[in-house]
Amino acid sequence: MNILVTGAAGFIGSHFVRTLLSGGYPGHEDDRVTVVDKLTYAGTRNNLPRHHPRLTFVHGDICDTTLLEKVFPGQEAVVHFAAESHVDRSVAGAEAFVRTNVLGTQALLEAALRHGTGVFVQVSTDETYGSIAEGRWTEDEPLLPNSPYAASKAAADLIARSYWRTHGLDVRVTRCANNYGPGQHPEKLVPLFVTRLLDGRPVPLYGDGSNLREWLHVDDHCRAVRLVLDGGRPGEVYNVGGGTHMTNREMTGRLLDLCGAGWDLVRRVEDRKGHDFRYAVDDSKIRRELGYAPRRSLEDGLRETVEWYAAHRGHWDAREEDSEAGY
Ligand code: NAD
Ligand code: TDX
């Protein structure tokens, strides 16, 4: 199969592509992967193999319809990870979020439709549902996103759905909980705290630290995406959870222990504007229909993640901006 993967120089997409290329997804051992990534601040070529016989890396923007006309012919599936993904940045300025997450997704959907691409997996997030004080969201829950980031992802999900409903494009949406693991940009909670604590520097805990998140290893998320790619149904949404729920304060405590640091390095800072209190998905649908079950324990996953950051301090420094595909 020829698969177009967007945003795979970033955290989750790169894990998906590396796993696929190393034979981690049965039935995909011969797939040819084309990655389109703009290499924003959040993407690095270091997240992918430099040279691999089944990988073509295209340095480009998903909003560039001329580029999409070149890369789409022959593609049989799209797995769409590319996004502006950091909530705090969307609070500071939402334009890039609307451009990439909404217009970029629409450009990809349009290209997929024109070129008869078989399957389109829209990788989305639990944040599109908003914030939930108790209980869990099913896929039928109305979308009530609170941050500009979440709103741009919700808009993209709805446009994707419209391409299924109107044009019959085989679109499948995943909505996953918070991911952690190696190769995540050090702007997000886990890598920010780990990289700072390893250097003995202070970390900023928003508000009183009581906000709750569900933490899932990136490998479990990517396996869920692969299950949806292979067996999901057109027009359907699949929540992806099964991680560990905890307050930010509890997560901070774990990271302090793993990094050998103490609470004296934790600074209480002003809360994030519009800070969602809690996310929690009901993922029984993907478990029932596709046999999804997470495998990585938080204990092992977090320890390995801290070890990875300790061993890869220069990972985000070196960039290679040249396209191997020559576009
Ligand atoms: P990331 O920020 O690490 O990576 C995003 C990638 O997209 C980067 O490589 C960047 O260069 C690329 N990109 C950005 N704008 C682009 C454009 N216009 N054209 C081409 N490439 C562009 O993000 P991530 O954490 O890997 O998230 C991947 C996807 O998963 C996103 O769609 C996100 O909404 C979703 N998601 C993330 C999480 C999480 O916890 N990180 C959870 C659920 C869903
Ligand atoms: O410095 C910090 N201090 C802090 O207390 C940062 C960066 C975060 N936080 C808090 C805010 C959140 O409650 O930690 C929690 C996690 O924050 P982020 O890592 O920024 O993640 P979140 O806002 O929950 O969004 C993430 O999960 C869903 C991803 O960034 C999204 O891309 C994904 O869709």
Side-chain angles (χ1 to χ4, degrees), residues 58-112:
V58 179
H59 179 195
D61 190 331
I62 57 167
C63 300
D64 181 348
T65 53
T66 307
L67 175 76
L68 298 187
E69 281 306 302
K70 291 180 187 162
V71 297
F72 260 82
Q75 301 297 342
E76 296 163 277
V78 177
V79 184
H80 176 32
F81 292 99
E84 289 291 338
S85 70
H86 192 39
V87 173
D88 291 324
R89 285 181 184 257
S90 81
V91 175
E95 189 181 342
F97 288 75
V98 174
R99 185 180 175 280
T100 287
N101 300 0
V102 184
L103 295 177
T105 301
Q106 186 270 332
L108 290 166
L109 290 161
E110 192 62 35

Side-chain angles (χ1 to χ4, degrees), residues 184-243:
Q184 186 171 30
H185 190 279
E187 65 185 351
K188 308 278 170 40
L189 177 77
V190 170
L192 178 74
F193 280 27
V194 169
T195 51
R196 288 198 180 187
L197 292 172
L198 287 174
D199 286 342
R201 294 160 59 209
V203 293
L205 184 60
Y206 296 165
D208 63 5
S210 65
N211 299 63
L212 283 136
R213 294 292 182 269
E214 176 180 2
W215 295 99
L216 185 71
H217 194 276
V218 63
D219 191 56
D220 286 321
H221 180 192
C222 287
R223 197 151 13 79
V225 169
R226 178 244 152 180
L227 287 170
V228 171
L229 170 67
D230 288 346
R233 289 183 289 133
E236 293 293 320
V237 176
Y238 297 90
N239 288 342
V240 182

Side-chain angles (χ1 to χ4, degrees), residues 230-286:
D230 288 346
R233 289 183 289 133
E236 293 293 320
V237 176
Y238 297 90
N239 288 342
V240 182
T244 306
H245 290 261
M246 63 176 66
T247 64
N248 292 337
R249 211 176 154 71
E250 287 169 315
M251 174 56 89
T252 301
R254 287 190 182 233
L255 297 176
L256 289 171
D257 288 348
L258 285 165
C259 295
W263 282 97
D264 55 305
L265 285 181
V266 180
R267 304 280 184 271
R268 289 275 191 85
V269 299
E270 195 182 336
D271 208 353
R272 171 185 281 173
K273 277 166 86 176
H275 198 173
D276 283 335
F277 180 66
R278 175 176 178 267
Y279 305 136
V281 288
D282 177 334
D283 66 355
S284 51
K285 179 176 173 180
I286 191 170

